Amino acid sequence: MIELITQHPFAAALLALVSLGLVFGALLGFASVKFKTEGDPIADQVEALLPQTQCGQCGYPGCRPYAEAIANGDDINKCPPGGEATIAALADLLGVEAKPLDAAEEAVPSVAYIREDECIGCTKCIQACPVDAILGAAKHMHTVIASECTGCDLCVEPCPVDCIEMRPIETTLQTWHWDKPQPTEDLIASDRRGNSPIEAA
Amino acid sequence: MRKIWDIHGGIHPPENKTQSLQDNIRAAGIPAQLIVPLSQHIGAPAAPIVNVGDRVLKGQMIGEAKGFVSAPVHAPSSGTVAAIEPRVIPHPSGMSAPCVVINCDGKDEWISHQGISDYRSLDKNTLVDTIRNAGIAGMGGAGFPSSVKLSGGKDKPIETLILNGTECEPYITADDILMQERAAEIIAGAEILRHIVEPNETLIGVEDNKPEALAAMRAAAEGTGIEVVSFPTKYPSGGEKQLIQILTGKEVPSGGLPADIGIVCQNIGSARAIYRAVCHGEPLISRVTTVTGEACSTPRNYDVLIGTPVQYLLDLSHFDASRCIRLIMGGPMMGYTLQDTAVPIVKTSNCVLAPTVEELPPPPPAQACIRCGMCAEACPVSLLPQQMYWFSRAQEHDKLEEHNLADCIECGACSYVCPSNIPLVQYYRASKAEIRQAQQDKIKAERSKERFEARQARIEREAAEKEAKRKARLEAAKAKQQSATKDGSKDDIIQAAIARSKAKKSGGADNPPQDPAQAAIARAQAARSGDAVSETAEEKTARLEKQLASTEKRLAAAQQKLQLAIDNNDDNVEAFRSGVEKTEGKLQALRKELDAHRASQAPAPAESVSDDPAAAAIARAQAKRAGGAETESPDAARERLTTQIASTEKRLDAAQQKHADAQAQGDVNAAAFATAVEKTQAKLDKLRAELAALPAAEPEPAAEASNADDPAAQAIARALAARNANAELSEADKARNAVSSLEKRIAKTQQKLDQAQADGDDNAAILSDTLAKLQGKLDEARQALDALSQEEG
């Protein structure tokens, strides 16, 4: 063996490298079969961050399709119900720059409300609801299961008598919480010498 | 002397306790109106059990506990329930919650109540129930139902019972004065607690800034084995977990309860309330509350009925609103500002603080954090307030959780020491709420996702079911057509047609509905072809009989009308008469025709069986072909066959009789009759065989039915079958098939679209889309076909 190496150093090196290559190649090939991931793990992670309102305001029919689109490189700022918090979380996950929300304003959490005496029982809102949160039958009054409503407002448009409105979720004693203090300008000692805080910053 | 441990951090704010300790506890008296909130504790609010207008007695339960972590509420004085409605309650939000409003009658009339003289003889659970029914909730501040604390932790023995008499917040002296004046009651309560909990040791922790209280407690505890422990004053030693650490050196694990390390902690006020409840049968309807601050000229402690408006207490203390900067419920460290003086005192209200501007100036504006680290030194829970401040500002909830924000007791020591006056506690409170909100949102998002996916699955399943049903129908139609063209030999059709006509004649209304229609079509066809022969003899008879019958009816009706017209001297009498005459003429003509027909039929009855039916059957077969693919269910087929067999049997009998007669008379037609008998016999055999074959064919549809609940599987099976069939076809054939099926689909879609457009349906747009797509596919398929046929050519 040693004789072979000393006599044919080039051939020996070649042999060693080729055999190494084959061994690792086989290892990699085996690993790629053995540890194959089903589905798109990035899309799953993205989906976990989306608010699941299924409102379609991003232009995709639901949160899953948008998650897949983001995984394939779409912008992360198209989700008004998620707002800045979701954008920040997505930017963190994907390692991209957080962009301002691609909408006029963040969606206020709201819940659909059917004015029941005006409802004609057409079932159009029931068909529109992505989470089956509207209860009713043909020619019978419908009502919203408020606890299941995601506030996507997809039911508002199909209503032929405009009896559905979106009402912001009211704060109750149970949901009330302390507000964060108004972020004051961070004053430092030099601010006192006539410099406005903004210029100093 | 007992060993005392120290807690990390802590501060020494000005105590300001002497002002309210000048005087003894004074009964506040009965206000005109009591506002009793239904939720004065942590847990589910109580449910009201009185109605507006009811008279209630002092100590009567007015709200019952709902759920395990809950507490009932009782009427603090006698009077009438004026309202049960939302009122502003003492809560940092300043929001309203359901309250029972009682207009007091001033009699302060007790409901009949009785204490337990010898509680030691009673079962522990009974005692805990007594405490629960008395509505006792932690009077130190949080308001955790005492009975829950006492009934929990059965799996782990309690080593130490601690009574909290620390009262570390500045200004508040309610517990201090209670210990000074009612030490015996507190010790009695502690004895009851000892009996329930059975601890190895019982400690009462009192800070060394309350020497009088300490002395009174030590005197009262003499000889009971209860140890009153004094330790250096420091804020916030009064926190449950901090006191445990000071007295025992043990730390309650993060996210755990004192019971996890074998300790139960109760406030001394709660202990006294337990004594009153067990030994006197009095529920928790009053408490000692400090009213202090420089805006009150006579600060002191009051024995207040629960539900007494704060304004009532302030009036007693000569409150000067103009000097007060803000009204605080609780102490200066952990209290909150009251927006409204109409709020009631509740079970957890230990202090109403009315400071002046000089006393408690508004916090100066916050400056930048200079990272001095004083907050970390002051934190009694050894957290890193400065880090948490940054994370809170940046909304980094994960990092906050990593830094154990949940363990923050919101004591405010960090804010107190901050040289930059940053309201750190407010950040933590807000962030805690945000995290809780985010968790709830996450749960809701999960549920929404589940519901959304369930809905998607349902829609897909329904679509698959529809598709499978459609396929099944198509398949059935195809099978029917094939069987019709394959084994539908002319002979069979003829037999079937004859049988049907027979059945119709005999069965009348019992016939399957399609038969008259078919017959009508056949007749129409026959009429069109103008071939009189094509009408069977039987049919002709039937038709004529029918016509006769209807004409007779018409005649009767016409005669009646005529009679009526004559009676009424109508102008139309002549017209009616001519009508009647005409009808009569027709009737006679019909009768003649029928007679003639019958006469013509009589000589050759055998022929009528063999020859005429053939012609009729041709007509019927034509009719059938024109009528398109008509599916027949196995049941219908069986019914049809049975009727056919019955009628054929009858005919066979008749034919046999005729044959016998003919033979007997030596008729020339005897031979013909014999063949007729033979033929009928053969037909009967054939029909029977068919009927026998039917149940054998049954299993297939049965299997289909059993598969009906799995249409998707069925559809898959069918698709596989279709693919297999396709595999046997040549490319060109496949293409041809594709083109024809696409053409069919386009035609269908076009029809649907027309319909939708006519109806103004919403689906029209979708349909037109579909149509365009199909058209595109068709073009493609045609091109492919062309290419293929060129190759072949």
Side-chain angles (χ1 to χ4, degrees):
Chain A
M1 187 70 183
I2 295 163
E3 204 173 300
L4 180 86
I5 292 168
T6 48
Q7 277 177 359
H8 308 280
F10 183 73
L14 202 68
L15 194 71
L17 285 174
V18 165
S19 52
L20 275 176
L22 284 176
V23 167
F24 285 115
L27 209 64
L28 280 175
F30 172 74
S32 75
V33 175
K34 174 87 181 174
F35 303 112
K36 191 171 166 57
T37 35
E38 292 293 330
D40 190 347
I42 307 263
D44 287 343
Q45 279 173 298
V46 170
E47 198 192 1
L49 294 176
L50 294 176
Q52 303 295 337
T53 37
Q54 318 294 353
C55 63
Q57 289 181 65
C58 51
Y60 294 94
C63 292
R64 178 76 205 176
Y66 182 43
E68 277 160 11
I70 289 177
N72 290 325
D74 198 355
D75 283 340
I76 59 169
N77 60 347
K78 295 183 176 175
C79 181
E84 299 293 346
T86 300
I87 293 172
L90 286 173
D92 205 35
L93 172 74
L94 302 168
V96 296
E97 202 67 28
K99 294 178 189 170
L101 185 66
D102 186 21
E105 59 204 21
E106 264 185 42
V108 184
S110 51
V111 64
Y113 176 81
I114 294 177
R115 290 192 296 276
E116 286 162 1
D117 46 349
E118 290 172 37
C119 174
I120 55 167
C122 69
T123 75
K124 285 199 167 142
C125 55
I126 295 180
Q127 289 155 31
C129 181
V131 291
D132 284 339
I134 300 179
L135 203 66
K139 291 179 182 165
H140 288 79
M141 176 203 84
H142 307 337
T143 196
V144 176
I145 308 169
S147 63
E148 304 296 348
C149 175
T150 63
C152 66
D153 77 13
L154 289 179
C155 53
V156 175
E157 205 268 323
C159 181
V161 291
D162 277 338
C163 73
I164 307 180
E165 59 189 71
M166 299 307 291
R167 293 187 171 176
I169 295 171
E170 278 177 30
T171 314
T172 63
L173 216 54
Q174 281 71 43
T175 58
W176 178 88
H177 56 82
W178 292 92
D179 284 329
K180 226 170 234 187
Q182 284 298 314
T184 49
E185 299 295 340
D186 283 342
L187 296 169
I188 54 174
S190 57
D191 293 342
R192 296 202 180 120
R193 287 186 221 121
N195 299 339
S196 82
I198 294 148
E199 280 169 35
Chain B
M1 192 64 193
R2 192 184 173 81
K3 180 175 164 38
I4 298 296
W5 281 264
D6 192 15
I7 51 166
H8 180 267
I11 52 172
H12 295 91
E15 285 171 11
N16 284 312
K17 294 204 186 226
T18 49
Q19 299 96 310
S20 51
L21 285 171
Q22 312 280 328
D23 207 347
N24 296 339
I25 302 175
R26 200 174 120 178
I30 306 162
Q33 197 173 56
L34 289 166
I35 303 155
V36 188
L38 287 164
S39 178
Q40 303 181 31
H41 48 265
I42 287 177
I49 53 171
V50 288
N51 293 312
V52 176
D54 286 2
R55 181 173 149 76
V56 290
L57 295 174
K58 183 172 184 158
Q60 182 183 338
M61 194 187 280
I62 53 175
E64 61 179 3
K66 282 280 165 204
F68 180 58
V69 183
S70 186
V73 290
H74 301 79
S77 186
S78 60
T80 323
V81 178
I84 300 172
E85 61 184 16
R87 290 283 182 103
V88 179
I89 59 160
H91 188 269
S93 66
M95 284 165 55
S96 302
C99 296
V100 176
V101 182
I102 299 170
N103 284 335
C104 301
D105 54 13
K107 292 178 192 155
D108 212 22
E109 194 180 328
W110 266 99
I111 195 166
S112 67
H113 62 287
Q114 205 178 2
I116 302 161
S117 52
D118 182 18
Y119 62 82
R120 284 176 204 279
S121 63
L122 280 181
D123 181 37
K124 282 168 203 163
N125 288 335
T126 319
L127 281 175
V128 171
D129 279 348
T130 309
I131 291 167
R132 178 179 162 89
N133 288 333
I136 296 168
M139 294 167 79
F144 194 76
S146 299
S147 59
V148 179
K149 266 189 190 178
L150 295 174
S151 52
K154 287 274 186 276
D155 48 334
K156 199 169 165 119
I158 299 299
E159 286 169 24
T160 314
L161 169 68
I162 293 175
L163 289 196
N164 189 345
T166 313
E167 200 167 47
C168 57
E169 266 221 53
Y171 286 100
I172 309 175
T173 56
D175 286 353
D176 190 353
I177 203 136
L178 192 70
M179 287 189 283
Q180 288 180 32
E181 296 189 17
R182 305 198 179 148
E185 291 187 6
I186 295 168
I187 297 298
E191 293 281 10
I192 297 169
L193 286 169
R194 276 173 88 185
H195 174 66
I196 296 170
V197 177
E198 291 179 328
N200 297 337
E201 55 176 356
T202 306
L203 308 174
I204 299 179
V206 184
E207 277 182 325
D208 60 7
N209 63 350
K210 304 177 186 67
E212 285 167 40
L214 264 172
M217 291 297 283
R218 284 203 168 120
E222 198 71 62
T224 55
I226 298 170
E227 194 176 343
V228 181
V229 186
S230 136
F231 54 89
T233 303
K234 180 157 84 172
Y235 179 85
S237 331
E240 185 179 62
K241 290 170 184 177
Q242 282 62 45
L243 183 64
I244 289 169
Q245 201 184 343
I246 289 167
L247 294 183
T248 65
K250 293 183 195 167
E251 265 191 87
V252 179
S254 174
L257 291 170
D260 297 342
I261 53 169
I263 291 170
V264 164
C265 200
Q266 291 278 0
N267 181 265
I268 52 130
S270 309
R272 185 210 164 220
I274 287 167
Y275 161 75
R276 300 293 310 179
V278 173
C279 296
H280 296 271
E282 293 173 10
L284 177 53
I285 50 169
S286 70
R287 66 156 297 138
V288 177
T289 298
T290 311
V291 180
T292 186
E294 277 175 28
C296 293
S297 53
T298 54
R300 68 188 313 153
N301 283 289
Y302 293 98
D303 195 350
V304 195
L305 294 177
I306 304 293
T308 304
V310 166
Q311 184 63 52
Y312 178 83
L313 286 183
L314 292 172
D315 290 344
L316 284 180
S317 291
H318 308 100
F319 167 66
D320 182 359
S322 62
R323 292 181 62 206
C324 180
I325 170 174
R326 58 187 182 129
L327 205 60
I328 297 169
M329 182 66 101
M333 301 297 295
M334 293 182 73
Y336 49 86
T337 307
L338 284 181
Q339 315 288 346
D340 192 341
T341 55
V343 300
I345 294 293
V346 296
K347 291 171 185 175
T348 54
S349 313
N350 47 11
C351 182
V352 176
L353 179 57
T356 57
V357 184
E358 300 78 44
E359 210 178 355
L360 215 66
Q367 291 175 297
C369 172
I370 57 169
R371 302 179 192 253
C372 62
M374 281 170 79
C375 47
E377 279 170 29
C379 181
V381 203
S382 309
L383 299 177
L384 294 173
Q386 178 194 315
Q387 290 301 105
M388 297 203 301
Y389 163 66
W390 294 112
F391 294 141
S392 174
R393 283 189 60 162
Q395 310 247 24
E396 293 187 60
H397 296 163
D398 296 348
K399 294 258 175 62
L400 281 172
E401 279 172 76
E402 278 169 26
H403 281 74
N404 299 310
L405 173 68
D407 288 337
C408 170
I409 60 166
E410 300 175 24
C411 66
C414 48
S415 308
Y416 183 80
V417 297
C418 182
S420 294
N421 306 306
I422 300 169
L424 292 162
V425 186
Q426 283 191 44
Y427 281 100
Y428 308 147
R429 281 176 171 161
S431 285
K432 275 184 179 177
E434 274 173 13
I435 291 171
R436 210 168 39 237
Q437 185 66 45
Q439 277 165 351
Q440 277 165 6
D441 285 352
K442 189 149 195 166
I443 292 166
K444 182 155 190 203
E446 270 312 301
R447 214 172 45 207
S448 302
K449 192 176 151 191
E450 256 168 48
R451 289 180 75 91
F452 178 66
E453 278 166 2
R455 182 188 144 91
Q456 291 303 91
R458 194 193 71 220
I459 290 170
E460 268 166 35
R461 195 182 63 234
E462 278 170 1
E465 268 168 25
K466 259 188 207 162
E467 181 65 18
K469 265 187 204 157
R470 195 186 64 80
K471 280 234 174 82
R473 274 202 305 275
L474 199 69
E475 211 82 342
K478 257 188 200 156
K480 171 81 188 169
Q481 218 164 18
Q482 266 170 11
S483 71
T485 47
K486 210 185 279 170
D487 47 49
S489 68
K490 223 163 224 177
D491 199 30
D492 257 8
I493 296 169
I494 292 165
Q495 308 298 5
I498 294 166
R500 260 205 300 285
S501 89
K502 283 265 182 186
K504 187 184 164 194
K505 207 184 279 175
S506 59
D510 296 338
N511 273 347
Q514 68 259 38
D515 274 0
Q518 262 186 353
I521 292 165
R523 266 203 302 279
Q525 289 256 341
R528 199 185 295 155
S529 65
D531 196 351
V533 192
S534 66
E535 191 177 37
T536 61
E538 285 93 344
E539 243 177 10
K540 193 169 179 184
T541 320
R543 178 172 62 78
L544 285 173
E545 273 171 354
K546 211 171 175 186
Q547 278 178 356
L548 198 63
S550 76
T551 317
E552 268 167 359
K553 251 189 227 159
R554 260 158 56 201
L555 182 62
Q559 274 169 342
Q560 213 171 357
K561 270 189 196 158
L562 176 62
Q563 199 56 48
L564 213 69
I566 292 169
D567 288 350
N568 295 345
N569 277 334
D570 204 318
D571 295 341
N572 294 332
V573 171
E574 275 313 302
F576 278 127
R577 188 161 288 145
S578 72
V580 170
E581 274 163 11
K582 257 189 206 162
T583 318
E584 269 173 347
K586 219 187 222 173
L587 186 62
Q588 260 151 27
L590 272 171
R591 277 199 183 125
K592 250 185 223 162
E593 204 180 334
L594 183 62
D595 286 347
H597 178 64
R598 279 193 179 138
S600 74
Q601 229 181 335
E607 269 169 52
S608 76
V609 186
S610 53
D611 289 353
D612 274 356
I618 293 164
R620 209 148 304 136
Q622 278 172 343
K624 197 165 186 185
R625 204 169 296 146
E630 199 169 41
T631 58
E632 192 176 31
S633 73
D635 281 353
R638 196 176 302 121
E639 206 175 289
R640 177 173 57 74
L641 283 170
T642 349
T643 43
Q644 277 179 7
I645 288 169
S647 71
T648 318
E649 268 169 1
K650 250 188 232 160
R651 259 159 53 202
L652 183 62
D653 280 349
Q656 274 169 343
Q657 211 170 357
K658 269 187 195 159
H659 177 52
D661 283 353
Q663 269 184 333
Q665 289 167 13
D667 201 324
V668 277
N669 287 336
F673 277 129
T675 47
V677 168
E678 262 170 38
K679 267 188 192 165
T680 321
Q681 184 68 50
K683 204 192 289 167
L684 186 59
D685 288 344
K686 203 169 184 180
L687 279 171
R688 283 202 177 124
E690 255 183 63
L691 184 60
L694 256 182
E698 196 74 328
E700 200 197 343
E704 237 171 297
S706 75
N707 272 348
D709 47 307
D710 191 5
Q714 221 177 338
I716 290 166
R718 212 153 293 142
L720 278 175
R723 194 193 296 157
N724 289 342
N726 262 346
E728 284 159 21
L729 292 174
S730 76
E731 285 295 315
D733 280 344
K734 267 189 217 168
R736 224 162 276 136
N737 277 353
V739 168
S740 66
S741 87
L742 276 168
E743 273 167 351
K744 256 185 229 160
R745 270 164 72 193
I746 286 174
K748 223 179 215 171
T749 316
Q750 185 66 51
Q751 210 174 350
K752 268 191 203 159
L753 176 60
D754 289 345
Q755 181 71 35
Q757 273 169 345
D759 295 352
D761 201 317
D762 290 348
N763 294 332
I766 301 170
L767 281 170
S768 64
D769 270 5
T770 318
L771 195 57
K773 263 184 218 160
L774 282 174
Q775 206 76 49
K777 267 192 199 164
L778 180 60
D779 288 344
E780 265 173 43
R782 277 206 179 121
Q783 274 167 10
L785 180 59
D786 285 349
L788 277 169
S789 40
Q790 270 171 8
E791 267 176 40
E792 274 178 13

